[in-house]
Amino acid sequence: MSSQGLEGVVAAKTSLSKVIGDEGRLIYAGYEIGDLAENVSFEEVCYLLWNGELPNATELEGIGRELGEARRLHPGVLEVLRLLPTDIHPMAALRTGLSAAGNFDPEAEDDSLEANRRKAVRITGQICSISTAYERLRHGADPVEADPERGLAEDVLRMLTGSAPGELEAHIMDVALILHADHGLNASTFSARVTVATLADMYSAIVSAIGTLKGPLHGGANQRVMRMLMDIGDAAAAGDWIRGALERKERIMGFGHRVYKALDPRAPILKALARELGRERGESRWIDISEAANAVMRDEMDARGKKIYANVDFYSAAVYYTLGVPVDQFTNVFAISRASGWTANVLEQLADNRLIRPKAEYVGPLGKRVAPLGERA
Ligand code: COA
């Protein structure tokens, strides 16, 4: 019996994150997501995923410094980025950039545990700088150099926009990164595991994951949500817009989830942050439209008896846009965060590896004979 989309199939054991879909809960290594979002930094979450425990003060200082150093780009990677067309998707630039970075990493093919742990840090740092450097280059500006003294979230916003963010902006970015760090056996994490299970190197695994995250049914959804909010244009227009799209049998981006059949616990956290940021910036238009669209979706889905709720991407759109992140960089911000989970999953896969190789149910014809070339239709 085949399972389309592998729904319900358990293909790995993990101690990294647990999604309890019908209760709307997400847990990283024992900690509820809300507890982490309120009390730790993204660097602490990285450490938690890579080590299974939260860091003490000395360890936190160490991982912060390592992640800071890891954000420095090799000149060869910058040269590759400079060669890219300026109109490609930033996720395509990231895919190429990280692949290039692997070629400049002397430990790329060293598959010892120690080297792989160092690469997990390096890859996470490099993903920050490749995405932000491409943003500058495509607009004819020089990349902003990483500042290892700053927190990762703050530095990412600074490298992306060219100016240091305020405290609230940096905090909100930090929380957004925490919320996206890991999420069970999601499609991109599965890709990373499949690749590394062949004993390919960690860079290859993460490049696979980047390609998978790019799609609109996965990480690409947040960018489409923003386009939808722009198209709706005004909170008062949300009802007609959503009902029209549903009548045309279109999917509303930012709603629904393969695993959550209750509210995604990350959505209300992002919603509150979007509201706070909107107030501070005097720009609440996007969160107003988001809330109006969500209210209509709730009624429409209730009326159809479907358990479809807003997911993490829905409110991250308003948050990122108000933070000044260009719309087509939304998925790259997701990748910056998920790099921590991808690399942690790679380490976990390698600790107890088995080639991942499911079967396909053959539904094609049998018994055909090869006709000579000249006799074929
Ligand atoms: N808008 C409208 N209807 C939706 C919907 C959405 N975003 N998501 C699911 N549905 C409907 C489907 O049309 C389907 O209805 P049907 O049973 O009448 O055919 C039903 O809900 C189940 O959908 P299904 O495609 O089986 O769910 P899935 O588990 O395969 O898909 C997603 C999950 C995430 C791919 C899907 O919800 C989606 O496309 N969402 C939009 C993209 C998105 O936000 N992705 C980010 C996920 S974090």
Side-chain angles (χ1 to χ4, degrees):
M1 202 184 60
S2 73
S3 164
Q4 203 174 12
L6 297 183
E7 186 165 0
V9 173
V10 177
K13 285 191 176 153
T14 184
S15 313
L16 299 170
S17 66
K18 181 171 175 67
V19 186
I20 308 180
D22 44 9
E23 291 176 28
R25 286 170 65 197
L26 170 61
I27 294 158
Y28 293 170
Y31 298 92
E32 296 284 340
I33 192 68
D35 191 11
L36 292 169
E38 219 170 286
N39 294 305
V40 305
S41 63
F42 178 61
E43 280 87 337
E44 287 169 271
V45 167
C46 288
Y47 190 97
L48 174 67
L49 293 173
W50 291 329
N51 298 284
E53 298 291 346
L54 283 169
N56 62 28
T58 317
E59 289 160 341
L60 178 57
E61 210 240 304
I63 196 71
R65 198 171 352 94
E66 284 170 34
L67 276 165
E69 291 301 329
R71 293 197 290 277
R72 293 191 203 279
L73 285 183
H74 189 285
V77 177
L78 276 174
E79 224 171 296
V80 169
L81 293 178
R82 281 183 207 280
L83 286 174
L84 297 177
T86 51
D87 58 353
I88 60 171
H89 196 284
M91 282 295 280
L94 175 60
R95 192 188 59 218
T96 302
L98 189 71
S99 186
N103 296 322
F104 292 105
D105 186 334
E107 290 192 310
E109 302 294 338
D110 181 344
D111 61 1
S112 65
L113 177 61
E114 300 71 37
N116 276 334
R117 292 172 86 99
R118 286 191 290 273
K119 279 184 278 180
V121 178
R122 275 206 290 281
I123 285 173
T124 304
Q126 297 282 291
I127 288 182
C128 298
S129 308
I130 293 166
S131 293
T132 53
Y134 181 69
E135 180 58 28
R136 308 281 300 166
L137 290 170
R138 70 173 169 165
H139 289 112
D142 280 329
V144 177
E145 253 187 61
D147 179 356
E149 296 301 313
R150 294 177 196 258
L152 186 145
E154 180 193 352
D155 210 24
V156 163
L157 278 177
R158 191 186 63 91
M159 291 193 287
L160 192 69
T161 63
S163 55
E167 217 172 287
L168 179 69
E169 282 84 358
H171 167 69
I172 288 180
M173 183 65 154
D174 192 57
V175 176
L177 294 178
I178 291 172
L179 298 180
H180 289 82
D182 199 45
H183 207 243
L185 207 50
N186 61 90
S188 54
T189 298
F190 186 54
S191 282
R193 279 193 180 246
V194 168
T195 302
V196 85
T198 69
L199 300 185
D201 65 288
M202 193 186 271
Y203 281 91
S204 298
I206 306 306
V207 170
S208 293
I210 290 170
T212 308
L213 187 72
K214 185 169 180 283
L217 295 189
H218 189 11
N222 53 15
Q223 163 179 348
R224 301 239 179 152
V225 170
M226 195 62 223
R227 303 257 181 247
M228 174 179 80
L229 299 181
M230 288 170 159
D231 204 31
I232 294 174
D234 188 89
D240 286 348
W241 197 101
I242 297 281
R243 279 187 284 272
L246 288 175
E247 258 163 47
R248 293 189 300 277
K249 303 254 177 271
E250 287 170 15
R251 289 203 170 202
I252 313 298
M253 289 293 132
F255 287 88
H257 201 276
R258 175 58 67 81
V259 187
Y260 289 119
K261 301 303 166 203
L263 187 66
D264 178 338
R266 302 165 297 177
I269 300 174
L270 278 171
K271 176 173 147 180
L273 294 179
R275 184 51 74 204
E276 195 182 346
L277 187 62
R279 246 195 320 269
E280 150 118 356
R281 285 269 176 114
E283 169 63 300
S284 296
R285 180 174 171 202
W286 306 112
I287 181 63
D288 288 346
I289 300 175
S290 306
E291 287 191 8
N294 182 48
V296 182
M297 267 303 267
R298 216 178 34 225
D299 292 347
E300 292 295 319
M301 292 299 112
D302 276 355
R304 290 167 172 76
K306 286 187 186 170
K307 292 185 170 178
I308 304 283
Y309 303 95
N311 58 47
V312 71
D313 292 308
F314 187 62
Y315 292 107
S316 66
V319 169
Y320 294 156
Y321 196 72
T322 315
L323 282 173
V325 178
V327 177
D328 62 358
Q329 281 275 3
F330 284 11
T331 313
N332 292 56
V333 173
F334 192 157
I336 287 169
S337 165
R338 188 57 58 86
S340 59
W342 289 334
T343 49
N345 272 272
V346 163
L347 292 171
E348 194 176 56
Q349 179 68 34
L350 289 174
D352 184 20
N353 189 48
R354 183 143 198 258
L355 180 74
I356 299 172
R357 204 298 190 189
K359 286 198 299 191
E361 180 190 0
Y362 179 72
V363 294
L366 295 168
K368 288 186 153 190
R369 301 296 298 261
V370 176
L373 194 54
E375 290 174 21
R376 293 183 214 158

